[in-house]
Amino acid sequence: MSPSFFEIVQLSNGDYALRRIDDDSAPLVKISFSEEAREMMEDRDMNVAKAMIAAGIEAVGNVAHDIDWEDEDLDAVDPQPSYTLH
């Protein structure tokens, strides 16, 4: 199996996305900033999106070994709310 390469792109609506270079299907991750957030970042939104994606990849790498990927456990999980407050 050949390695996958990823790219961060800006979509036509201004959102940022992480996708495989060789795959035109839906992006793996999308990041959307409000107009107010874009103004506060003063044209550094691409850098912030890159940092957010890098942090997400690092977090997944740190916790991936703690996740039990058994299918039977997925059926027992309660539905999560549509948002997470941090």
Side-chain angles (χ1 to χ4, degrees), residues 2-85:
S2 64
S4 291
F5 292 96
F6 301 92
E7 62 184 350
I8 298 172
V9 296
Q10 187 171 20
L11 304 174
S12 60
N13 66 357
D15 290 351
Y16 294 94
L18 175 69
R19 66 180 185 190
R20 286 186 176 88
I21 289 177
D22 58 350
D23 188 355
D24 289 334
S25 62
L28 300 169
V29 173
K30 280 196 243 181
I31 296 176
S32 177
F33 296 112
S34 68
E35 194 56 43
E36 180 181 4
R38 288 180 188 276
E39 289 173 10
M40 288 190 303
M41 289 184 275
E42 299 177 351
D43 297 324
R44 292 187 297 254
D45 47 325
M46 177 59 146
N47 292 333
V48 172
K50 285 180 184 179
M52 291 172 71
I53 291 170
I57 291 169
E58 182 178 346
V60 168
N62 290 338
V63 299
H65 66 280
D66 294 335
I67 297 173
D68 186 5
W69 296 101
E70 296 293 325
D71 288 341
E72 60 203 40
D73 292 340
L74 294 176
D75 295 335
V77 174
D78 291 331
Q80 296 295 318
S82 61
Y83 64 91
T84 302
L85 180 62

